[in-house]
Amino acid sequence: MTTTTLSAGEMRLELVNIPVTDVDRARDFYVEQCGWTLITDHVQLEDMRIVQIVPPGSHCAILLGKNVPGITDMTAGSQRGIHLVVPDLAAARDQLIGNGVEMSEIQDMGGVLYCGFEDPDGNMWLLQQWPHGGTHDYS
C-alpha cells in the first residue's frame, strides 16, 4: 500500500455514503453485479456495520453502513446523480447489462454521453463519457 502525504490545502474526496436498507443486499449488488471491489466489511461496537467498496479505477470509496452515528441516518435511496466517468460508455453499459444491472438508454448531452442505473434501494448513478474519452484534472 502506498501512502501519500497531503499538502496543507489539499482536500481529497475519498469516501461517499450511499444510504441503503440492507447492507448485504447492497454489497452483493455492487460487488457481484457492478464488479466493484470490496475493501472492508466489519462490525464495530457490536451494532455498527462498515462496508466499503470502490468502483474500478476510482480513488473514492463508497460506504454502505449501518448505525454509523451521524452518517447512516440518511433515507435509503436518497443519493442521486453521482457520476462515474468511463472512457467507453457503450462498453461499460453493455458490461453492466450483462451482469444483470438495468441501465437507461444512452443520452447525448451536447457531446457528453450519459446513462444511468439504480441500486436495489433506488440510489441513482450516472455513467458519463466525455467527448475525448478521458477525465478532467481540476488541480
Side-chain angles (χ1 to χ4, degrees), residues 4-80:
T4 303
T5 303
L6 300 177
S7 68
E10 285 185 294
M11 296 180 199
R12 294 188 183 168
L13 180 62
E14 294 194 3
L15 185 67
V16 173
N17 175 52
I18 300 297
V20 299
T21 54
D22 183 327
V23 175
D24 289 322
R25 179 181 70 175
R27 179 203 57 212
D28 293 348
F29 171 78
Y30 287 112
V31 172
E32 295 172 12
Q33 289 185 261
C34 295
W36 297 8
T37 301
L38 178 66
I39 297 171
T40 188
D41 183 347
H42 71 275
V43 175
Q44 194 168 309
L45 303 174
E46 296 182 20
D47 66 346
M48 183 169 58
R49 175 99 177 267
I50 306 274
V51 172
Q52 289 185 20
I53 56 176
V54 67
S58 181
H59 296 281
C60 182
I62 305 303
L63 170 66
L64 308 170
K66 180 179 173 188
N67 296 325
V68 180
I71 295 175
T72 57
D73 53 357
M74 290 174 63
T75 302
S78 63
Q79 194 66 274
R80 313 291 295 166

